[in-house]
Amino acid sequence: MNNRAKIFSIISPIVLVATIILFFIIGKGITLITFMSFLSILIDEIIFFGGMILIEIFAEKTSQITLRAGCGTTITLYSVISIVVSMIYMIFSIKAIKSFLAIHLILLVACIVLSIIFFSASRKIESSEQKVIDSVRLNSAIIEKVDFLVADSKNKKYIDLLKKVSDELRFSDISTVVSVDSEIEETISRLELNLELAILNENDEKDIEINKLIENLLTLINKRKIQVQSKKTGGF
C-alpha cells in the first residue's frame, strides 16, 4: 500500500464518524427520506474512499495516468453528485422515495460501467507499454553485443560489416517484439563464438563462416523490418 492509499485509509474513518455525528447534531425530525439520504451519503463516502484506495493499489499494475484520471474522476463525480442529490432530498424533505432510489441507481450503474471501462483501458495500455519496454530492452542488449564486437580490435577484419549490422539495428524500430528477434539473438551468439574461435585458429573456412553469419544477420534484420511494419499495420 503506497502513501496515498494510507492517507485515504486514515482520512476515511474520520470523515465517516464526522458525518454520523453531524447528522445527529443537526438533524431534526428524522424521517424515512432523511435517514435514507443520510445512509446514501455514508455509502457515497465509503465508495469514494474505497475507490481511491483501490485505485492506488491497482495503479502499480496498470497505466497510472489512465486509471487515476479515468476511474478517479468518475468516482469523484459520482460521489459529489450523489451526495448533493441526497442533501437536496434531506434539506427540502422531498418524499419521492422512488425518484430518490432511481437517481442513485442510475448514478451508481454509470459509475460502475465507466470505472470498468477505464480500468480495462488502463490495463491494456500498461500491457502495451510493457511490451514496448521489453522490446526496447531486448533489442538494446542485442545492439550492445554488436557494438562490443565492433569495438574489439581483434575483429578489425570484419569491422565494416559489423558496423553495418550495428547501424541497421540502431536505426530500425525496436519498440516491437517480432518472431525473428530470437533468430537474430541466436545468430549473434553464434557470431560471437565464431569470432572467438577465429582468433585462436584463423583459417579461410572460419572466415567464410563468419561472413555468412554477418550476411545472414543483415538478412534477418531486413526480415525484422518487414515483420515490424506488418505487425504495426495489423498484418499479424
Side-chain angles (χ1 to χ4, degrees):
M1 187 180 289
N2 61 28
N3 290 332
R4 288 192 185 93
K6 290 178 181 177
I7 291 171
F8 282 123
S9 63
I10 292 170
I11 294 174
S12 57
I14 297 173
V15 173
L16 289 170
V17 170
T19 301
I20 294 169
I21 293 172
L22 282 172
F23 175 74
F24 287 106
I25 290 175
I26 299 173
K28 293 181 180 179
I30 297 175
T31 61
L32 178 60
I33 193 65
T34 57
F35 187 70
M36 288 177 64
S37 299
F38 164 67
L39 285 179
S40 176
I41 291 172
L42 286 181
I43 292 170
D44 294 335
E45 290 174 350
I46 292 170
I47 290 173
F48 173 76
F49 288 110
M52 292 300 117
I53 291 170
L54 286 175
I55 285 173
E56 294 306 321
I57 291 172
F58 286 112
E60 299 175 1
K61 301 176 182 178
T62 59
S63 173
Q64 296 187 27
I65 295 174
T66 305
L67 187 67
R68 289 196 175 107
C71 291
T73 301
T74 299
I75 293 171
T76 301
L77 285 175
Y78 161 77
S79 300
V80 171
I81 295 172
S82 184
I83 288 173
V84 169
V85 170
S86 296
M87 290 183 69
I88 290 172
Y89 272 80
M90 184 185 295
I91 292 170
F92 294 100
S93 298
I94 301 173
K95 297 180 180 180
I97 296 175
K98 288 184 179 180
S99 65
F100 175 84
L101 293 173
I103 291 170
H104 280 83
L105 181 60
I106 291 169
L107 289 172
L108 182 60
V109 170
C111 177
I112 292 171
V113 171
L114 288 174
S115 295
I116 291 172
I117 291 171
F118 284 120
F119 178 73
S120 299
S122 67
R123 294 198 66 175
K124 288 182 180 179
I125 292 170
E126 173 64 18
S127 176
S128 177
E129 289 175 347
Q130 189 57 51
K131 286 179 181 178
V132 172
I133 292 170
D134 291 341
S135 178
V136 170
R137 186 183 295 118
L138 170 64
N139 286 286
S140 294
I142 290 173
I143 293 170
E144 284 180 12
K145 285 183 179 181
V146 177
D147 287 343
F148 180 78
L149 295 176
V150 172
D152 192 340
S153 59
K154 297 173 185 176
N155 300 325
K156 60 182 179 180
K157 186 177 181 180
Y158 312 99
I159 187 131
D160 291 334
L161 285 172
L162 289 172
K163 279 184 177 179
K164 187 177 180 181
V165 171
S166 178
D167 290 339
E168 287 290 330
L169 284 169
R170 182 172 285 102
F171 296 109
S172 63
D173 187 344
I174 62 172
S175 65
T176 304
V177 175
V178 289
S179 60
V180 78
D181 285 339
S182 58
E183 294 181 58
I184 293 174
E185 195 170 13
E186 182 184 346
T187 304
I188 289 175
S189 296
R190 288 171 58 196
L191 178 61
E192 288 175 319
L193 178 60
N194 278 274
L195 286 169
E196 287 293 330
L197 293 174
I199 295 169
L200 299 173
N201 183 24
E202 188 173 351
N203 55 60
D204 292 339
E205 186 178 335
K206 187 60 65 178
D207 185 54
I208 291 170
E209 188 173 352
I210 289 171
N211 278 290
K212 280 184 177 179
L213 284 169
I214 295 174
E215 289 299 330
N216 187 34
L217 261 178
L218 292 170
T219 301
L220 289 172
I221 292 168
N222 287 327
K223 183 179 178 182
R224 185 183 190 282
K225 291 177 182 178
I226 295 170
Q227 287 188 356
V228 169
Q229 185 178 6
S230 179
K231 191 170 186 178
K232 290 203 167 184
T233 55
F236 62 91

